[in-house]
């Protein structure tokens, strides 16, 4: 078995195995695969080839700069860790963990977590996912009674108009001169210089422009500048999906202004929708959580796992995440099939129209 780095010439073979796999369907969409895994050195897809040259496993590895307690920390995230033949993923797992000092899984399948638990990784609790206007979608594996229950919940659940509610929360928590302005991309002056979070993504504007580009066919990101008066204090990126909004990435000089800025951006995007959309975001930060709950966000009962692996204990402050800044659309969490350009024309057109308006 040998490992090769993915290039566009491998896509036909990759699409062939991805189409028959239980997971990893995103690897069958070439616009996503080629952009995410071939345009920057810090994000690559590795393929394990069997004796016959066929692809037997895949793993994406993205190296992202972070800060912890003011100190730089490079973390290697895994994405699309898929085994197409039983037992073939071990080679790629070792390739990943040897490529960086600290490794991270944010989400992940039960199979992946069985591996990292055996390796004694450290789990960090409290990284909660919050939702408003949850759609209670039925999954294919749901029993009939569960599908019926979700149908009833969809019918009975009240809708929350974020645009209408934000004004009251803004008056309660934030300065009157807090505002947002939509931009075409993230510029250097939008990246905060203050360090008010004990753990945060600390990438520069070049990385952010690549990861949250606003001109991609398969995903729609909308970028907002956060302003305090005339001064820029941060940014908010919204992943405007056809059926929901996701807070992709955000950062600012203080947690309350950031939480309110996120709500302002969500309210602006939600205003374009015919009905109040489902909204999902992540936050372990206790100050920000209070603001989100005031609008009506509720935490999912099950947390998305956040685990780090390293030769030594990866972070110095045990497992307290209450002052962290974590966003949901890291690695490929917001880049999943069906992509925007895979949707039927009416749904895709509606999403694009909402973005353009």
């Amino acid at each position: 078995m040998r490992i090769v780095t993915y290039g566009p010439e491998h896509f036909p073979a990759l699409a062939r195995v991805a189409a028959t796999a239980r997971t990893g369907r995103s690897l069958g969409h070439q616009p996503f695969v080629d952009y995410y895994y071939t345009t920057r050195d810090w994000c690559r897809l590795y393929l394990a080839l069997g004796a016959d040259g066929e692809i037997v496993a895949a793993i994406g590895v993205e190296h992202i700069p972070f800060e912890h307690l003011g100190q730089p920390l490079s973390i290697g995230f895994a994405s699309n860790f898929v085994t197409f033949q039983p037992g073939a993923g071990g080679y790629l797992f070792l390739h990943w963990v040897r490529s960086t000092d600290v490794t991270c899984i944010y989400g992940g399948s039960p199979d992946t977590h069985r591996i990292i638990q055996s390796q004694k990784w450290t789990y960090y609790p409290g990284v909660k996912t919050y939702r408003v206007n949850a759609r209670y979608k039925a999954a294919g594996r749901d029993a009939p009674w569960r599908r019926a229950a979700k149908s009833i919940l969809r019918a009975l659940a009240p809708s929350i108009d974020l645009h209408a509610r934000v004004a009251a929360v803004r008056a309660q928590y934030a300065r009157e001169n807090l505002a947002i302005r939509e931009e075409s991309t993230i510029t250097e002056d939008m990246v905060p210089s203050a360090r008010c979070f004990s753990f945060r993504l600390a990438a520069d504007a070049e990385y952010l422009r690549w990861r949250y580009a606003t001109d991609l066919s398969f995903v729609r990101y909308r970028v907002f500048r956060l302003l305090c008066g005339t001064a820029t204090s941060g940014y908010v990126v919204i992943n405007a999906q056809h059926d929901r909004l996701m807070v992709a990435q955000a950062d600012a000089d203080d947690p309350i202004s950031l939480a309110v800025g996120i709500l302002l951006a969500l309210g602006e995007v939600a205003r374009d929708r015919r009905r109040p959309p489902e909204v999902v975001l992540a936050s372990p930060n206790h100050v920000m959580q209070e603001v989100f709950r005031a609008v009506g966000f509720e935490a999912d009962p099950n947390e998305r796992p956040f685990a780090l692996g390293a030769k030594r204990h990866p972070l110095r402050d045990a497992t307290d995440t209450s002052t962290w800044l974590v966003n949901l659309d890291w690695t490929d969490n917001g880049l999943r099939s069906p992509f925007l350009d895979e949707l039927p024309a009416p749904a895709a057109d509606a999403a694009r129209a909402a973005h353009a308006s």
Side-chain angles (χ1 to χ4, degrees):
M1 187 176 296
R2 63 190 180 95
I3 297 174
V4 300
T5 303
Y6 169 84
E9 68 275 11
H10 298 111
F11 184 76
L14 179 63
R16 189 166 58 250
V17 294
T20 61
R22 181 171 56 88
T23 59
R25 294 298 178 89
S26 297
L27 294 177
H29 192 59
Q30 190 165 11
F32 157 68
V33 176
D34 285 0
Y35 179 80
Y36 188 47
Y37 292 118
T38 71
T39 58
R40 295 296 188 277
D41 289 339
W42 57 66
C43 189
R44 296 298 187 193
L45 181 68
Y46 299 98
L47 308 174
L49 306 183
D52 58 358
E54 289 296 305
I55 298 171
V56 296
I59 191 170
V61 179
E62 183 179 353
H63 297 278
I64 309 177
F66 279 78
E67 285 183 351
H68 177 245
L69 300 179
Q71 298 301 312
L73 179 70
S74 178
I75 300 180
F77 282 76
S79 62
N80 284 300
F81 183 24
V82 185
T83 298
F84 303 114
Q85 290 185 10
Y91 293 94
L92 290 178
F93 181 88
L94 290 175
H95 181 78
W96 166 41
V97 298
R98 290 170 178 170
S99 71
T100 186
D101 292 335
V102 180
T103 46
C104 180
I105 285 288
Y106 182 21
S109 68
D111 289 341
T112 299
H113 285 281
R114 279 192 286 272
I115 295 173
I116 68 175
Q117 285 166 3
S118 70
Q119 299 293 313
K120 308 298 183 184
W121 285 34
T122 302
Y123 281 81
Y124 291 81
V127 183
K128 297 182 181 296
T129 300
Y130 284 86
R131 296 178 195 272
V132 71
N133 298 329
R135 293 291 181 242
Y136 301 103
K137 293 181 181 177
R141 62 183 178 276
D142 284 347
W145 69 266
R146 186 179 292 274
R147 299 176 72 89
K150 288 183 176 180
S151 178
I152 294 171
L153 287 171
R154 284 196 300 271
L156 297 179
S159 293
I160 293 175
D161 186 340
L162 280 177
H163 187 72
R165 287 203 176 187
V166 166
V169 173
R170 177 182 181 181
Q172 179 181 356
Y173 287 98
R175 291 165 288 188
E176 292 182 359
N177 60 350
L178 187 68
I180 57 167
R181 186 176 74 216
E182 188 160 9
E183 303 284 358
S184 60
T185 190
I186 296 175
T187 56
E188 285 76 5
D189 65 319
M190 295 166 66
V191 181
S193 58
R195 301 294 184 258
C196 60
F197 301 101
S198 61
F199 177 83
R200 61 185 284 274
L201 187 150
D204 59 16
E206 179 187 1
Y207 170 87
L208 296 170
R209 281 193 293 268
W210 166 78
R211 180 57 184 81
Y212 305 106
T214 58
D215 59 353
L216 301 174
S217 67
F218 54 88
V219 66
R220 273 296 173 268
Y221 289 119
R222 294 181 64 171
V223 172
F224 294 87
R225 180 187 298 268
L226 182 57
L227 295 160
C228 290
T230 59
T232 297
S233 64
Y235 65 89
V236 178
V237 183
I238 305 299
N239 184 339
Q241 301 171 348
H242 77 285
D243 58 351
R244 68 174 182 173
L245 305 179
M246 175 188 292
V247 178
Q249 167 62 19
D251 199 358
D253 291 338
D254 73 87
I256 290 181
S257 292
L258 179 58
V260 176
I262 286 171
L263 295 176
L264 290 171
L266 287 170
E268 181 66 22
V269 179
R271 188 172 60 172
D272 299 332
R273 304 296 177 108
R274 288 190 295 270
R275 62 171 182 165
E278 179 183 27
V279 180
V280 59
L281 58 84
S283 179
N285 190 283
H286 288 185
V287 174
M288 297 177 68
Q289 287 175 355
E290 178 184 342
V291 179
F292 297 138
R293 287 195 297 265
V295 168
F297 280 88
E298 296 182 352
D300 284 356
N302 299 316
E303 291 182 9
R304 180 183 293 266
F306 192 101
L308 296 176
K311 294 179 180 178
R312 298 184 301 274
H313 194 289
L315 301 182
R316 300 196 303 270
D317 64 340
T319 56
D320 179 17
T321 61
S322 62
T323 58
W324 285 19
L325 176 61
V326 174
N327 287 290
L328 189 54
D329 196 352
W330 289 352
T331 184
D332 68 333
N333 282 342
L335 300 173
R336 302 289 174 84
S337 183
F339 292 101
L340 186 64
D341 52 3
E342 292 180 298
L343 297 170
D349 291 345
R352 292 189 180 95
H355 171 72
S357 60

